Amino acid sequence: MATDQITYSETNYFSKLMLDYLSEKEELKQLYNRFPTLDNFEDQIIDKKSNYDHSIREDLAQVLNDQYSSLETSERTKDNIEKLKSKDAFTIVTGHQLNLFTGPLYFLYKIISTINLTEKLKEKFPEKDFVPVYWMATEDHDFEEINFFNLNGKKFKWNNADVRAGSTAVGGLSTEGLDEVFKLFSAEIGGGDSAEYLKELFKNGYLEHDNLTDATRYIANELFGKYGLVIVAAGDARLKKHFIPYVKNELLEQVSNKKASESAEKLNALGYNVQVNPRDINLFYLTSDLRERIIERDGNYYVHETEISWTKEEILKELYEHPERFSPNVMMRPLYQEVILPNLCYIGGGGEMAYWLELKEFFEAENVTFPVLLLRNSALLQTEKQNAKRERLNISLQELFLKQHELINRKVRKISNIDIDFSPQKEHLVKQFQQMYSLAEKTDESFLGAVKAQEVKQLKGLENLEKRLLKAQKRKLKDEVERIASLQNELFPNRSLQERQTNFSEFYTEYGEELIDMLKENLDPLDANFKILTFGK
């Protein structure tokens, strides 16, 4: 496999906030604890070890063993679960929704980044242990975000018959209806060893498990178990009980709203868009049929759009008796994760990093160690044939990431046998009008408006001529333009990054198990560049 890279800024797909974070812009340092370098993990280990409730470890290991009891579990994963009981074992975590059949490609990149970082840390600190963890977003309830995947330009969508879909946590939803998706998926990928493996993976995951949590755990374990990945579903009451003091603070003091709002104001003042705006209370009430936010009004508590209500004393009694019914939202979930796990680093995408940067003051108020934040690896996968086509078209890697109309216009200008750039003529025109402005100021200032109008008109005329000439050249160079557009459409489906659109199965059918091995070998979580990986077929 050949590897190339460009900077994240050259892709034009990453926010100013992420680019500034990666460049360690001074103004942002107040919003995070430590930047992700190997050396910085030494102090992170010390902080987490001294500020973590190690009594949680036994409950964590017991819950994990229960959750894995029906799975064929690798020795590395079993060993990692056992290691979590030790005070010298730490986690590296990524979180992800329960997307159908893993969703877009970046699911793989997140988990591979997590696994690879644990291996780097083990080399750096051999006396410690580091466990890669996938935190399943079992308590999310946005079913429409996860009920499909894209393969070969087609959308495979799960029309779930479960009446609770969209109204309660997705983790408990029945896998009913996925047999229809399986039939369509099987027909699409055809035959061959890799295709047959994917069919079995889908079938055993979704048709042999009753709910989405168990199905997703099975699939992630099959793909990454050999690397020791540990998969956590954190809704268990044995884990939630350790979060009771923080939920109590949220109900009574509304800590997250106060602190996250302060950080959001700082981000706004620095010119960044705020990813998530906190609510007064950042908790949901969760049952098998309901996940709805908790609100406080005049000292009493209510579940939004229901008849459920409590006094302060009643809701605290409910919390202590049923902690599993209190579900953290996007602002509280990171705190729950860091309370439960002996975690050093969270690995996520740009959107996730953006809301984590709102949370440091909240963590400090709750006396919980803020993790290192690491942007997951990103990559573009291409074949040698596609790369050769790019080179024949004389498109640089950086140009490949341009918007399609910009790319085509640039290449048409470059390969055309006439000059389509009227910039010199425009500059000459502007200079001529400067002389007319001077003349108008000396004679009649009321003439300035007429001069300006004429300048705008003539510049507009030159721009229109330039566009017409460019359009004519595109027609003349139609074959070249179509080849450029075709290549970019292959590599950027729906005019977006491949990793945000395409399902891993599109590549797995071609490369099999080697796909994940090659990604693992070529993605370095601490290398802050966008990778272009070229496969040999």
Side-chain angles (χ1 to χ4, degrees), residues 198-235:
L198 290 173
K199 291 175 191 176
E200 282 299 302
L201 183 65
F202 192 107
K203 178 176 177 290
N204 292 338
Y206 294 111
L207 308 190
E208 303 297 330
H209 291 89
D210 294 331
N211 62 68
L212 194 54
T213 293
D214 291 344
T216 304
R217 183 189 294 110
Y218 173 85
I219 289 170
N221 181 63
E222 285 292 307
L223 292 174
F224 298 104
K226 71 176 185 178
Y227 302 112
L229 181 70
V230 172
I231 304 160
V232 176

Side-chain angles (χ1 to χ4, degrees), residues 28 74 89 116-118 155 185 202 211-212 247 257 259 276 281 303 313 327-328 359 399 408 430 448 473 516 522:
L28 282 176
S74 72
N116 282 350
L117 182 56
T118 61
K155 187 173 185 177
F185 172 66
F202 192 107
N211 62 68
L212 194 54
V247 174
N257 180 36
K259 294 300 178 180
V276 178
I281 294 176
V303 177
E313 292 75 18
S327 175
L359 298 175
E399 287 175 329
I408 290 173
V430 169
L448 287 171
Q473 282 300 97
I516 295 176
N522 288 279

Side-chain angles (χ1 to χ4, degrees), residues 33 110 135 176 253 315 323 330 338 363 388 404 414 416 509:
N33 192 8
K110 285 175 116 175
W135 179 288
E176 182 183 351
E253 306 295 335
I315 199 169
V330 66
E338 298 301 312
F363 273 67
Q404 191 163 106
K414 185 175 287 188
S416 179
T509 52

Side-chain angles (χ1 to χ4, degrees), residues 127 194 299 362 398 406 524 535:
E127 73 283 1
S194 296
F362 173 38
Q398 288 82 358
E406 294 176 8
D524 180 350
F535 289 84

Side-chain angles (χ1 to χ4, degrees), residues 355-373:
Y355 72 72
W356 273 89
L357 288 171
E358 299 176 41
L359 298 175
K360 181 168 175 276
E361 290 189 40
F362 173 38
F363 273 67
E364 289 172 347
E366 294 286 11
N367 192 30
V368 176
T369 301
F370 195 70
V372 173
L373 301 179

Side-chain angles (χ1 to χ4, degrees), residues 65-110:
N65 281 321
D66 289 348
Q67 292 180 353
Y68 273 87
S69 61
S70 62
L71 290 182
E72 186 175 323
T73 310
S74 72
E75 289 303 315
R76 288 185 68 177
T77 295
K78 290 177 183 176
D79 190 40
N80 277 339
I81 293 173
E82 187 63 26
K83 284 176 179 175
L84 285 172
K85 297 178 183 179
S86 165
K87 291 185 178 181
D88 284 319
F90 302 90
T91 62
I92 304 297
V93 177
T94 192
H96 198 68
Q97 294 172 294
L98 307 188
N99 294 70
L100 185 59
F101 213 47
T102 76
L105 258 173
Y106 69 77
F107 174 77
L108 271 65
Y109 303 160
K110 285 175 116 175

